[in-house]
Amino acid sequence: MPARTVDPRPASRAPRLPARARSAVLVAVVVALTAAACGEPAAEGEDAVVGQDAVASLPAFDPSSAVGRYVPGFPQELLPVPASATLLATSAQPSEGSVPPQTQITMNLTSSLTPQEVLDQFAASLGGQGFAPVEAPDATGLTAQAAYTRQSPTDAGTATESLLVGILDDGARRLVTVTGTVLAPAAP
């Protein structure tokens, strides 16, 4: 029986992840599963064709998301695709009313690595960028998870950035979702 949660933190009690990020992981897992099953939709207004029969038009994806690539405004330098992983989808949307400006992001991948190896990759990458582990929320159905925060000083004040890494293991591969709120990228 596989372990339900892998905890890369030391035994000390860490602060909890904000409630908004706890619920976001469940939404992100649903988005990841949908993206993995769907592929590219028909363009807005076009009919999808099955054999010779036209079926109902499919809506276009939300412009804040992209399948198989980084969406504009996603912080690629913060979350590059790890080794042995395939990018499924990303999303990036401004966090309304946040000062300093922040972006809500989600990244979905698949990986052939073990859940612990995936967590180790993210721990090294995010730790090298100033993120510290915090207590992850209890998320039913996930095989493993880890949460991170960092305090980033800006001209508009200090921003608290938080990320949650959730892994669903189906035995053959791992579905990985990284979701959270980070500083908005600088305007070009």
Side-chain angles (χ1 to χ4, degrees), residues 136-163:
D138 293 329
T140 304
L142 291 177
T143 305
Q145 60 188 352
Y148 300 89
T149 64
R150 77 175 172 187
Q151 300 293 313
S152 299
T154 71
D155 292 341
T158 300
T160 299
E161 299 175 279
S162 59
L163 293 168

Side-chain angles (χ1 to χ4, degrees), residues 7-113:
D7 189 353
R9 299 180 317 253
S12 65
R13 178 107 171 121
R16 287 188 60 83
L17 191 64
R20 182 172 41 158
R22 281 183 261 161
S23 62
V25 73
L26 296 177
V27 172
V29 168
V30 171
V31 169
L33 292 172
T34 302
C38 291
E40 289 289 337
E44 188 168 341
E46 290 181 8
D47 289 332
V49 177
V50 178
Q52 295 298 327
D53 300 320
V55 294
S57 293
L58 296 174
F61 279 112
D62 182 321
S64 68
S65 65
V67 175
R69 62 183 172 81
Y70 285 109
V71 68
F74 190 91
Q76 295 179 41
E77 67 287 344
L78 178 63
L79 289 168
V81 176
S84 300
T86 301
L87 183 63
L88 297 175
T90 60
S91 69
Q93 194 165 25
S95 182
E96 297 296 324
S98 62
V99 177
Q102 294 188 313
T103 300
Q104 295 175 347
I105 61 167
T106 301
M107 175 178 173
N108 301 301
L109 335 144
T110 60
S111 176
S112 59
L113 298 177

